[in-house]
Amino acid sequence: ISFICNYYHLHKTFYILDLLASHLIKNSKTEVPEDVISYGLEVILNLLVQLAVIIFIGYIFGFLPAVLAAVIPAIIYRSLSGGIHISSFVGCTAVSTLAFSLIGYISSKIILDTFTVTAVYICLIAAAVVWSPFSPKRNLTKKRLISFKVMSTLFLLVILAVCLLYLNNTHLSTAVVLGLTWQTLTITPPGIWIIKRLDILIHSRKGGKREHVQ
């Protein structure tokens, strides 16, 4: 994982992304700032790297179905709920990859019962109602904020129904719950505090960071 992360952390990668963003702006004549497009491209690359590494780890160690069940709903939910993240490309990729790999491994070994799954989902839905969407640097209108909050809540309700009706008492249901719990932590005050401290720790060792536009 470290080798892959360090490879993509090379400044040359970011330089190429910036050039591509500049090229897209010139050809599309868009008014979107270049740094926003560059960051969007970086997010896509980040996601592809994470998925590739997570799938590879899951396949090698025999818990691929569980890790996919954890990461796919979490990605969809994050697009609705938002969430804090490590500000560097490498740090974000490494932390997310480690988290979902552990979730995949743990959920392949245990099965949460119906009561536990339901109780966790009630907490997740409550967190969505209170704290989603978390997007401090995006100027969302009140209507958009409410829209994302409603969609986040509805998404969790749909996934809860799927888990109870089709995946009840299975490793996959456990994986889904743990994956969504991890994502929910990124919108809660305790989770935000932890990730900010982790971000500071990572950059104190590396000395500097690439700023993200959230």
Side-chain angles (χ1 to χ4, degrees):
I1 295 175
S2 176
F3 171 80
I4 296 176
C5 289
N6 287 333
Y7 175 81
Y8 281 101
H9 187 52
L10 294 174
H11 292 293
K12 185 176 181 180
T13 302
F14 295 135
Y15 176 69
I16 293 174
L17 291 177
D18 290 337
L19 286 179
L20 181 56
S22 178
H23 177 74
L24 290 174
I25 289 175
K26 290 179 180 179
N27 284 273
S28 64
K29 298 181 180 180
T30 180
E31 296 181 358
V32 178
E34 183 176 324
D35 60 339
V36 174
I37 293 180
S38 179
Y39 172 66
L41 293 173
E42 184 179 323
V43 168
I44 294 173
L45 178 59
N46 189 317
L47 179 60
L48 291 175
V49 172
Q50 288 183 34
L51 284 175
V53 177
I54 290 170
I55 290 173
F56 176 76
I57 293 174
Y59 176 78
I60 291 296
F61 292 99
F63 52 83
L64 180 58
V67 80
L68 289 177
V71 73
I72 293 175
I75 290 174
I76 298 172
Y77 182 49
R78 185 178 183 86
S79 70
L80 303 173
S81 68
I84 193 170
H85 60 87
I86 303 298
S87 60
S88 73
F89 181 92
V90 172
C92 185
T93 301
V95 171
S96 296
T97 299
L98 176 61
F100 281 107
S101 296
L102 287 175
I103 288 172
Y105 173 76
I106 292 171
S107 58
S108 70
K109 302 297 182 181
I110 65 172
I111 295 177
L112 299 179
D113 58 40
T114 302
F115 175 80
T116 303
V117 168
T118 304
V120 172
Y121 268 107
I122 290 174
C123 294
L124 298 183
I125 291 169
V129 171
V130 175
W131 290 301
S132 70
F134 178 84
S135 187
K137 294 186 178 181
R138 292 176 61 189
N139 297 320
L140 298 177
T141 63
K142 184 176 181 180
K143 183 178 180 180
R144 292 270 289 171
L145 287 172
I146 294 175
S147 176
F148 277 115
K149 188 181 296 291
V150 170
M151 287 190 292
S152 297
T153 304
L154 289 177
F155 177 78
L156 291 176
L157 288 172
V158 169
I159 297 301
L160 170 59
V162 171
C163 286
L164 294 181
L165 295 176
Y166 301 103
L167 302 176
N168 197 25
N169 294 319
T170 65
H171 293 291
L172 295 182
S173 176
T174 300
V176 173
V177 172
L178 294 181
L180 290 175
T181 299
W182 167 258
Q183 167 53 28
T184 298
L185 285 175
T186 68
I187 68 173
T188 64
I192 292 170
W193 185 88
I194 292 172
I195 293 176
K196 282 183 176 179
R197 296 303 177 276
L198 182 59
D199 198 26
I200 292 172
L201 176 62
I202 290 174
H203 294 302
S204 68
R205 292 177 176 275
K206 289 184 173 296
K209 62 183 178 181
R210 177 181 172 87
E211 294 293 335
H212 279 182
V213 181
Q214 293 191 15

